C-alpha cells in the first residue's frame, strides 16, 4: 500500500488551482447505471473519471487511481473514464452525465474537472487529484486542509521555496529569470507568484511570461528565452501538453528550463523537484475504496500530499554541458 503524508511546510501554503485541457469524450471501460454506494445491493460500484487533458502527469494519476481500485475491489468496480480536451464546458457535460447515471463516486483529475464536478453534485462523493491548491480551486477562504461536504482528494503542490532554491543551486550566477505559464491556469499563477518572490529575495530580476493557450506559447516562450538566463515552468497543464514547443526554442539557445514536475522536465527541462503522479493517483484510489466501502466519511478526509524527489534530464543536461548535483536522480 502506498502511503502519502502531508509535509509540514505545506500547512502554510495559501492557494492556487489548475485550469486546463481536455480530450474528446471517450470511455476506457463500459459505464453502468449503478446506484450510489449506499444503495448498491450487489456490492458493485461504478466510478466516473473526468480527466482534464491527456499528458504524462494526469495520465499517471489516472492510472494509479484505477490500479488502486482494481487492486482492492477487483471486478466489483466499473470505471467510466472520459477525457475532455481542454474544454471546461466538456468537463461540465461529462460530470453532469455521471450524475445522471448515478455513479457511486467521481474522480476529477485537474482543477476544471473538480470545479465541474462540484457544480454538478453536492451528493455524490467527489475525489480530486492533480490539484495544486484546493482553497483557490474551490473559492475557500482560509482553507484549513479539509474541504468538507462531498469533496476531498490529493494535491500535487511541491514546495515552491525549494523549487526556487533548486534554480539558485544550479545557477548561482544567474541574474534574470523568466517564469513561463498559462494565464488561464490559476494554480500556475499562484506558483509563479511565489517563485518570483523567492527569486527576487535572492537578488534576481524576475519577469512573468504568460501565454493564453498553445497558439501563442511559441512567441511568448521566445520572448522569455531572449530575455532570461534561466526559465521556470510550474505544474501547468498547457505547458505539459506542449513541451516540444518549449524545448525547440530553449535548448538550441542554451537556455536551461526548470520545471515544477517530472513530465515537463522530461520534455524540456534540466531539473525538477517532482512528485510521483502515479503514487498520488494510487493514494486517491485508496481513499475512494474507503469511501465506497463505508469505511470513511469524505466530509472529514483531509487533502493528502506527497514528498518530492530531485530529478534531472540527463539528455538535455549533457547537451547543455551541465553536471547535476550528486543528490539528483536521472529521469528514466
Amino acid at each position: 500500500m502506498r502511503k502519502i503524508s502531508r509535509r509540514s511546510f505545506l500547512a502554510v501554503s495559501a492557494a492556487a488551482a489548475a485550469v486546463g485541457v481536455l480530450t474528446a469524450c471517450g470511455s476506457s471501460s463500459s459505464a453502468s447505471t449503478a446506484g450510489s454506494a449506499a444503495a448498491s445491493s450487489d456490492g458493485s460500484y461504478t466510478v466516473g473519471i473526468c480527466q482534464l487533458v491527456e499528458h504524462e502527469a494526469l495520465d499517471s494519476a489516472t492510472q494509479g487511481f484505477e490500479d488502486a481500485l482494481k487492486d482492492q475491489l477487483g471486478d466489483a468496480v466499473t470505471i467510466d473514464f472520459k477525457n475532455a480536451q481542454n474544454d471546461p464546458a466538456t468537463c461540465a457535460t461529462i460530470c453532469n452525465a455521471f450524475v445522471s447515471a448515478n455513479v457511486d463516486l467521481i474522480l476529477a483529475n485537474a482543477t476544471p474537472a473538480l470545479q465541474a464536478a462540484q457544480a454538478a453534485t453536492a451528493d455524490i462523493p467527489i475525489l480530486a487529484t492533480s490539484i495544486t491548491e484546493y482553497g483557490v480551486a474551490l473559492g475557500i477562504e482560509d482553507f484549513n486542509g479539509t474541504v468538507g461536504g462531498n469533496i476531498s482528494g490529493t494535491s500535487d503542490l511541491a514546495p515552491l521555496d525549494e523549487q526556487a532554491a533548486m534554480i539558485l543551486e544550479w545557477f548561482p550566477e544567474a541574474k534574470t529569470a523568466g517564469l513561463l505559464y498559462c494565464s488561464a491556469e490559476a494554480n500556475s499563477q499562484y506558483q509563479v507568484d511565489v517563485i518570483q518572490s523567492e527569486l527576487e529575495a535572492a537578488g534576481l530580476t524576475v519577469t512573468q511570461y504568460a501565454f493564453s493557450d498553445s497558439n501563442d506559447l511559441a512567441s511568448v516562450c521566445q520572448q522569455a528565452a531572449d530575455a532570461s538566463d534561466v526559465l521556470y515552468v510550474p505544474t501547468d497543464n498547457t505547458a505539459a501538453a506542449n513541451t516540444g514547443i518549449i524545448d525547440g526554442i530553449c535548448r538550441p539557445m542554451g537556455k536551461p528550463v526548470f520545471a515544477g514536475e517530472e513530465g515537463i522536465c522530461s520534455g524540456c527541462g534540466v531539473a525538477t523537484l517532482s512528485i510521483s503522479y502515479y503514487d498520488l493517483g494510487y493514494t486517491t484510489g485508496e481513499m475512494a475504496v474507503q469511501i465506497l466501502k463505508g469505511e470513511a466519511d469524505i466530509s472529514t478526509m483531509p487533502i493528502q500530499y506527497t514528498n518530492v524527489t530531485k530529478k534531472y534530464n540527463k539528455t538535455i543536461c549533457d547537451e547543455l554541458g551541465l553536471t547535476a548535483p550528486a543528490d539528483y536522480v536521472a529521469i528514466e
Side-chain angles (χ1 to χ4, degrees), residues 76-258:
V77 62
T78 297
I79 298 172
D80 185 4
F81 170 86
K82 297 189 183 298
N83 192 323
Q85 231 177 22
N86 198 23
D87 183 0
T90 303
C91 280
T93 300
I94 291 169
C95 291
N96 286 329
F98 288 156
V99 174
S100 295
N102 200 22
V103 300
D104 298 303
L105 183 142
I106 296 171
L107 174 72
N109 192 349
T111 297
L114 171 58
Q115 293 168 334
Q118 180 195 37
T121 179
D123 301 313
I124 295 174
I126 299 167
L127 286 175
T129 192
S130 311
I131 308 297
T132 302
E133 219 295 327
Y134 283 75
V136 167
L138 299 175
I140 303 172
E141 294 185 9
D142 301 320
F143 179 61
N144 64 5
T146 300
V147 176
N150 65 324
I151 297 173
S152 187
T154 56
S155 172
D156 61 1
L157 180 63
L160 296 174
D161 56 342
E162 294 182 30
Q163 298 270 11
M166 169 184 64
I167 297 171
L168 298 171
E169 177 184 22
W170 280 69
F171 286 90
E173 303 303 318
K175 303 298 182 184
T176 57
L179 311 181
L180 182 66
Y181 69 103
C182 180
S183 59
E185 302 197 25
N187 77 306
S188 298
Q189 183 67 66
Y190 169 68
Q191 292 173 82
V192 297
D193 285 346
V194 175
I195 291 289
Q196 179 170 0
S197 177
E198 293 283 343
L199 292 178
E200 287 180 341
L204 275 71
T205 299
V206 183
T207 304
Q208 295 185 12
Y209 294 90
F211 55 92
S212 58
D213 54 35
S214 59
N215 293 320
D216 65 340
L217 171 56
S219 61
V220 175
C221 181
Q222 186 67 60
Q223 295 172 25
D226 287 340
S228 310
D229 295 329
V230 298
L231 284 80
Y232 177 79
V233 180
T235 55
D236 183 289
N237 287 298
T238 309
N242 293 277
T243 55
I245 295 175
I246 300 171
D247 187 52
I249 292 170
C250 295
R251 199 192 317 191
M253 294 179 65
K255 296 299 176 77
V257 177
F258 291 85

